[in-house]
Amino acid sequence: MNTAARTSHRGWKSCVLGAATAAALLASAACSPNGGDGPGDNKPTARPGTPSATGSPSPTASPSAPKPSATPSATPTPGSTGTGGGDGAVALCAPGDVSITSSTEDDKGQGVRHILLTLTNTSKKACKVYRYPLIQLGDAQRPVPEIKESAPMPGTPYEAIAPGKQTYAALLLNGPMDEAPAKTMTVQLQDTEPGSKKGAPIKVAFPGVDSVYYNDFAKVTHWMTASGLALRFIMSS
């Protein structure tokens, strides 16, 4: 091959190589994964979790609800006390506040053995009597003992006696034993402490007789608002 032919062949090869290189560059640009016009068109994307420059303001803590104030506990009010106690709301009956009368449940012609005592509030205000009457018969050495079964349940309040109203106690005088005569009977009210005395004794007349007979079987009930209930404790004896 002559010199002119070799030169022409070398120029054709260079043209072919240049065209191939340009085609490869265009194909590379068209297949770019960024979908832009070229490597310079890549734009940074925000990473997940990265706050933007103009992020929303942080929420302010909502004020906590006011704590409810503690509910004050109810202050107990003094109430009526049971057997052996006093009551600040209603005063004790004093001897000058009451009158006491007696009646019998025995048939006429029989000796007086069962007596019902009726206490009436003659004052202008309510008052209370406690436990049972302290009864002294004649020359007895001690008051007539109580019928314990007639005592109210512990904690049971004593009922106030309104002006003009009554309360009752039943007295059994004797049993099958030697008896002693009694020409007098006194009734003493009890104070707040068991066995204590409220004021002076009250003299009570016997029901329709001048004297009665008593012995160690004598006993008396607690004060009750129902006369029939009081008598129930002694009428079977």
Side-chain angles (χ1 to χ4, degrees):
M1 186 178 294
N2 58 27
T3 303
R6 283 195 298 267
T7 302
S8 174
H9 179 71
R10 215 182 283 121
W12 176 83
K13 286 177 68 177
S14 297
C15 180
V16 171
L17 288 172
T21 301
L25 288 175
L26 288 175
S28 175
C31 295
S32 174
N34 294 325
D37 295 332
D41 292 333
N42 293 339
K43 295 180 181 180
T45 57
R47 294 181 181 178
T50 304
S52 61
T54 58
S56 59
S58 301
T60 56
S62 59
S64 59
K67 295 182 179 180
S69 58
T71 304
S73 58
T75 303
T77 56
S80 302
T81 55
T83 302
D87 189 328
V90 179
L92 286 170
C93 294
D97 298 327
V98 302
S99 66
I100 301 177
T101 58
S102 69
S103 59
T104 182
E105 296 299 313
D106 299 306
D107 296 332
K108 288 184 178 180
Q110 295 183 350
V112 175
R113 186 164 176 258
H114 304 89
I115 292 178
L116 178 68
L117 297 173
T118 301
L119 180 148
T120 303
N121 182 358
T122 57
S123 71
K124 295 182 179 180
K125 60 182 180 180
C127 63
K128 290 187 176 184
V129 289
Y130 294 122
R131 290 172 293 279
Y132 57 94
L134 299 175
I135 298 175
Q136 189 76 30
L137 294 169
D139 298 325
Q141 300 298 311
R142 61 186 178 87
V144 175
E146 66 177 308
I147 299 176
K148 293 183 179 179
E149 292 80 11
S150 69
M153 294 292 291
T156 303
Y158 292 102
E159 294 189 29
I161 308 167
K165 298 299 182 180
Q166 292 81 32
T167 190
Y168 307 91
L171 168 65
L172 178 67
L173 289 173
N174 53 47
M177 255 182 81
D178 293 337
E179 301 166 337
K183 294 184 179 294
T184 60
M185 175 172 63
T186 59
V187 174
Q188 193 150 38
L189 305 178
Q190 291 198 51
D191 210 325
T192 53
E193 293 299 322
S196 60
K197 300 174 181 179
K198 177 69 174 179
I202 302 168
K203 187 175 182 179
V204 180
F206 293 122
V209 294
D210 295 330
S211 62
V212 296
Y213 289 87
Y214 71 96
N215 59 19
D216 290 342
F217 281 85
K219 52 189 176 180
V220 66
T221 69
H222 283 240
W223 293 110
M224 300 180 182
T225 55
S227 60
L229 180 59
L231 287 168
R232 190 182 305 171
F233 286 94
I234 68 168
M235 291 308 295
S236 61
S237 299

